Amino acid sequence: MKKITIAIDGHSSCGKSTMAKDLAREVGYVYVDTGAMYRSVTLYALRHGLFEADGSVKTAELEAEMPNIHISFKFNPETGRPDTYLNEERVEDEIRSLEVSSHVSPIAAVGFVRTAMVAQQQQMGKDKGVVMDGRDIGTTVFPDAELKVFVTASAEVRAQRRFDELKAKGMPADYDDILKNVQERDYIDSHREVSPLRKADDAIELDNSHMTIAEQKAWLLERFHERTA
């Protein structure tokens, strides 16, 4: 069976990472969570005071720090999925906090950050056999990907999913704050100058507002077999 590149794009908290992770594990592909990469840069920026009081990014200071930001993924045998590491520190839980979620879109809109992350992502997927999810995988990172999926769901459904996820981890969560964050991220992601979130012309759209994880997994696996047959 030929190896292909799979690009899964979509709005925040629409479940695309879960779909991508499950598919990669099912078919033996490498999974790369590009959102975790931008979240890791955001966590670094928060820790080093690289945001102004109004939430804007101190771009000159961040650009100077970029050589000190190293992101990697290591397989976790307990979960069967990769964890995110920032400078060799496991940050898988920290990068999912609402504080990081509230600051990640401005970071992801910075041109030199996207350039650095895209270069890393393209290197990770150069040999195919990769499942990558994010905002611009099918449009910018891998425009020639053999399978492109654009995932969406209503803002209310996505906010509830993020709320449930945080509560399950024992982390503080407020539904109204999360919904506001989801809506703000949608706007910023869709209106930024560099690689805005949009559906690639040749992507298959999936609205999973009312689908179970098992139904999404089955749907994606069927698309995979169609493309690799």
Side-chain angles (χ1 to χ4, degrees):
M1 185 183 293
K2 67 176 181 179
K3 283 190 174 183
I4 65 172
T5 299
I6 302 165
I8 302 179
D9 291 307
H11 298 279
S12 65
S13 304
C14 64
K16 59 187 180 297
S17 294
T18 299
M19 290 176 65
K21 289 174 185 174
D22 286 346
L23 179 65
R25 184 167 49 183
E26 184 83 16
V27 302
Y29 274 27
V30 174
Y31 166 69
V32 179
D33 181 353
T34 65
M37 297 173 73
Y38 291 103
R39 285 174 172 273
S40 297
V41 176
T42 303
L43 180 62
Y44 185 95
L46 285 166
R47 287 177 170 179
H48 291 79
L50 302 181
F51 286 96
E52 302 286 3
D54 64 358
S56 60
V57 182
K58 297 179 181 179
T59 51
E61 290 92 332
L62 177 59
E63 189 166 17
E65 288 290 330
M66 286 303 291
N68 301 320
I69 301 175
H70 303 286
I71 301 159
S72 58
F73 297 95
K74 297 179 183 179
F75 185 75
N76 183 334
E78 291 184 9
T79 63
R81 293 174 171 176
D83 286 339
T84 311
Y85 284 75
L86 171 62
N87 295 333
E88 298 303 314
E89 174 196 353
R90 183 185 179 278
V91 293
E92 186 63 34
D93 296 329
E94 289 90 333
I95 60 173
R96 311 296 174 184
S97 70
L98 186 57
E99 183 182 23
V100 170
S101 295
S102 300
H103 289 82
V104 66
S105 287
I107 288 285
V110 177
F112 62 79
V113 174
R114 296 208 73 83
T115 298
M117 296 299 104
V118 168
Q120 288 188 39
Q121 292 154 16
Q122 290 174 332
Q123 182 64 26
M124 291 174 184
K126 63 181 173 53
D127 296 324
K128 296 187 180 291
V130 65
V131 185
M132 205 170 284
D133 74 275
R135 302 288 191 281
D136 61 347
I137 311 305
T139 54
T140 301
V141 183
F142 292 114
D144 297 326
E146 291 88 347
L147 174 57
K148 299 180 186 179
V149 178
F150 188 86
V151 189
T152 187
S154 72
E156 291 75 15
V157 166
R158 289 183 284 132
Q160 187 65 50
R161 288 173 180 169
R162 177 54 61 86
F163 175 83
D164 293 341
E165 179 186 7
L166 291 173
K167 294 298 284 186
K169 291 181 177 178
M171 300 173 73
D174 179 276
Y175 173 81
D176 291 333
D177 288 345
I178 294 171
L179 177 60
K180 182 170 179 282
N181 173 246
V182 164
Q183 293 167 334
E184 288 174 347
R185 289 184 65 190
D186 283 355
Y187 183 85
I188 295 173
D189 291 343
S190 301
H191 290 80
R192 65 182 180 225
E193 289 185 19
V194 183
S195 299
L197 171 65
R198 66 175 179 84
K199 176 177 171 285
D201 293 338
D202 53 348
I204 307 167
E205 184 165 337
L206 174 67
D207 185 333
N208 66 7
S209 296
H210 305 292
M211 294 175 71
T212 65
I213 290 176
E215 288 170 340
Q216 296 171 53
K217 181 178 179 180
W219 181 91
L220 186 56
L221 192 59
E222 189 174 335
R223 302 291 86 72
F224 170 80
H225 288 310
E226 287 174 358
R227 296 300 165 91
T228 56

